[in-house]
Amino acid sequence: MLQYVGSRLFSTFPVLLLISVFVFSIMHLLPGDPAMLILQGQYATTPEQVARLRVDLGLNDPVYVQYGRFLAGALKGDLGRSVQFKRPVMAVILERLPRTAELTAAALVIAVAMGATLGIVAGVRQNSWVDNFSIVLSVVGLTMPIFYIGLLLILLFTVKLAWFPVTGGTDLHRLILPGFTLGFVSSGIIARLVRANLLEVLRQDFITTARSKGLADRAILYRHAFRNMLIPVVTVVGLQIGGLLSGSVITETVFNRPGLGRLAVEAILWKDFPLAQGTILFTATAYLMVNLLVDVSYAWLDPRIRYS
Amino acid sequence: MKPSVRNKATLCIIALSMVLTLVPAAVPAPVSGGELTIVYVGDEPKVLDAQVDPFDSAAMVSALLADELVAKDKAGNFQPYLASKWSVSKDGKEWTFTLRRDVQFQDGTPLNAEAVKFNFDRILDPKTQSGQAADMLGPIVRTEIVDPYTFRVVHGSPYAPFLDSISQGFIPIWSPTAIKKYGPDEFERHLVGSGPFILQEYHAGDRFVLGRNPKYAWAPKIYKHQGPAYLDKVTFRFVSETTTALAAFRAGETDMLIRFPPQNVSDFRGKPNFQVLTAPYTGSPVLYVMNISRPPLDDIRVRKALEHAIDQVQIVKVLYKGEAVATKGVMYPGSPCYWKGAETVYPHDVNKAKALLDEAGWKPNAQGIREKGGKTLQVTLVNAFVQDLGPIVQAQLRAVGVDAKIDQVPGPIQLERAGNGEFSTIFQHMAYSDASVLDMLYNSKNLKPGGWAWTRYKDPKLDALLDQSTVTVDQTKRCQLLVDAQKVIVNQALVLPLFGRQQIAVATQKAKDFGFGSRPNVDLWLYDAYVEKP
């Protein structure tokens, strides 16, 4: 098991390296001088300012030297200094990380709770109104843009009912609407998947055997069916976490939450290249780690899966 | 069609809105206590210290926490502030400031020449990475402590915008003790000035909470009262999503929205529960810069035809329901040294526009588009920022036979086009406090990477006027030079002026006596503000 985790960790390095090359090249693929681009949005720019920024960003060195420095720094957790914030990129990211982490966690809890409940009820009571409702809900969740769901929720729960704030209030209070907005999209997918898997598992021979032994429906469901249908679900939930991270870009903007998603958007809008590189690299790494966790969790869920 | 009447009406509206800004909202005597929550529609400052950050939002908050050397009243006159008096040498290069002796920073550090010098030197130090403040200070050669309460700045050449610069929130005077204590990375989280408000809480990406400075006793005469501010607490939030900001306001989460979207103002105007406060910006208005180095706009007759074809009043009505200032000038009508004559040079007159195009040899074809030598009269409208503007201008130009193509591009691409001249007209807007904005935008020496002189007009006479205006410290003489410069710019038809934006605040009736100063993009006046029933 440990060996497997080790080898998986090892195999993520080439991926990370590729990501770092991609992220590094963002600044260099854009037409024009990055220092110029950064300063152009501001008032009159003097050649001295541009020269100073070129030195600060290390743009006067050959590209491979710049990349080497970027990589060496990244390995040590030093992602450079943000042009706009004038602080280390890592410090800015770590300051915002808890906000995104709690949003993703809230969204995941809501997505899994809603999705699994609906999926199970729909699977057990196939073709009932719950089943139809779950279909409608997942189609809505899958097709409606997140920002639109968010705005509708704000309109209903903030402007009309005044239950939840958009800008004020305590942190937990402020988490519910964005968490729901973000979780809603995934809950539809999870509901469909749980339902399909449950139906498939319920048709298998070992369930028939269990039933013939006279086990109660409830026991069959809890003890035999659930665990067996979980693997594809966990895979999708893992993928959804990645989706939630990207969804947080929009959710955080709509709900004005100071998280990594909004930070990335601002970094790109303000052409704060070190910060944009840092947030993208950080998020990509987080995504890879979640994937690794998902893979490892298979073994725990299904003892038949052996890693060697 | 009576353009002059329209222009008069516009000016009346401007005058009226200025007067309204000056009239107190309610009669009852202000009381101490209570708090206000303010949402700024826009991005949060990345660095709250305006000595470092280049954006208005940072200067707006910094100006509440710190004081400046001089103050600028609503009429645009300079008044004593931290400096009780000042003088400038005959050659216009040396500024000497006599400081008040009774001022203390919020951490108890006394204000003196040493503290002011420390701040100036910090701004000028390249390590500070000042985004705007350093440039605003002009060509400083050295700063001097003449005696403990006399401070001197020596410029290499006379620098006319100096007083305006140092009266802005971009040049706040901070406690040197606090700057040294917290260091360059952390100071912006612990700003300590001598202003009426103290920075109490800093939640990055969410809010800043300001509390009252109980020891404040050196308010400049530009305000109504003396002593500490009335409000106990002011909370600033920055919301860049307009829809979200409006929802928060409608839900009662905030008492005031500033930088309110103009197209939504009509929902709140005249409603008993709300108050709307507007103040036009100063500087260079929203306009299309014309590239005079490329056909067809290298022909002044075509440029003049375009000027006559544009109906600014209609644009403002359609785009913003009238919540902007239509202008044909190359400066905001409220700007210092604004030339009023610009409004009447090119009245909106479709027939005149057509006649000018005829004269230039552009004749209409079967579709009504003008042609010359087999080429159609085509211009591009490059614009990254105001999406709805293109179609209106396009329609107005089409009415005189000009085929305008809308070229909607991302911001960086627009700047790139502006730089390398790949456009016939391009969007530009520069809200700016000092009239030196003209030098920035029209002096041909600023046609360089990162510069803003996009029209590509090279005229030694205009350049000389602008150069001279920057080094003329005498305001009357300086204004004359700038008015002459505006005459050249307008007569050469270098830009298509459209309208000026306004700072707009919409608030509930709770907030009283808040206001905007003469630079409403940065001067948010909360010192006199109070709430009726705290």
Side-chain angles (χ1 to χ4, degrees), chain B residues 139-182:
Chain B
I140 291 185
V141 206
R142 61 179 188 276
T143 55
E144 291 170 2
I145 300 172
V146 179
D147 67 51
Y149 290 97
T150 311
F151 169 67
R152 183 174 293 153
V153 171
V154 182
H155 281 121
S157 54
Y159 180 63
F162 189 57
L163 280 185
D164 183 74
S165 293
I166 60 168
S167 69
Q168 289 200 47
F170 284 107
I171 318 287
I173 304 299
W174 302 120
S175 159
T177 320
I179 292 176
K180 287 177 207 154
K181 180 176 163 195
Y182 293 105

Side-chain angles (χ1 to χ4, degrees), chain A residues 31 36 40 42-44 49 56 81 84-87 95 154 158 165-168 174 253-254 256 258 266 270, chain B residues 43 46-47 129 132 135 185-186 189 204-206 237-239 241 244 247 251 253 416 430-431 449-450 452:
Chain A
M36 200 71 234
Q40 239 167 355
Q42 305 178 7
Y43 291 115
Q49 276 180 313
D56 288 346
R81 279 180 79 83
Q84 295 287 336
F85 287 89
K86 309 248 180 349
R87 333 177 108 227
E95 192 171 56
I154 289 177
T158 303
V166 246
T167 58
R174 284 177 67 184
T253 307
V254 172
N256 208 52
E266 284 179 8
W270 291 114
Chain B
D43 285 324
K46 306 292 177 262
V47 180
Q129 294 188 297
Q132 187 170 183
D135 293 329
D185 279 6
E186 288 303 311
R189 305 266 164 135
D206 187 36
R237 288 181 188 278
F238 295 80
V239 180
E241 264 304 305
T244 310
E253 285 174 31
E416 197 184 301
M430 183 83 74
W452 293 90

Side-chain angles (χ1 to χ4, degrees), chain A residues 155-228:
Chain A
L155 196 66
L156 179 64
F157 289 106
T158 303
V159 179
K160 292 274 177 249
L161 298 172
W163 286 0
F164 302 107
V166 246
T167 58
T170 60
D171 283 344
L172 190 67
H173 204 199
R174 284 177 67 184
L175 197 57
I176 296 171
L177 274 191
F180 186 80
T181 306
L182 192 53
F184 182 67
V185 179
S186 301
S187 73
I189 303 168
I190 294 172
R192 296 314 296 158
L193 200 79
V194 166
R195 175 186 179 273
N197 277 303
L198 191 62
L199 284 176
E200 201 187 308
V201 169
L202 285 177
R203 279 193 215 108
Q204 305 238 338
D205 290 347
F206 70 92
I207 299 286
T208 320
T209 312
R211 220 169 246 148
S212 67
K213 284 197 313 194
L215 271 181
D217 274 0
R218 191 172 286 240
I220 292 172
L221 206 61
Y222 288 145
R223 219 175 293 160
H224 298 280
F226 277 4
R227 210 159 162 185
N228 278 296

Side-chain angles (χ1 to χ4, degrees), chain B residues 1-54:
Chain B
M1 208 177 45
K2 289 176 184 163
S4 61
V5 175
R6 276 185 181 170
N7 287 331
K8 270 180 200 159
T10 317
L11 288 172
C12 280
I13 292 167
I14 297 162
L16 195 68
S17 61
M18 282 174 154
V19 170
L20 285 176
T21 327
L22 293 167
V23 174
V27 207
V31 273
S32 247
E35 60 177 281
L36 279 182
T37 303
I38 298 172
V39 165
Y40 182 99
V41 185
D43 285 324
E44 181 184 291
K46 306 292 177 262
V47 180
L48 193 53
D49 176 2
Q51 289 188 1
V52 178
D53 196 271

Side-chain angles (χ1 to χ4, degrees), chain B residues 221-240:
Chain B
K221 294 273 157 49
I222 61 173
Y223 298 118
K224 289 181 192 165
H225 82 287
Q226 287 291 311
Y230 297 123
L231 295 171
D232 283 343
K233 191 172 148 187
V234 179
T235 304
F236 273 95
R237 288 181 188 278
F238 295 80
V239 180
S240 42

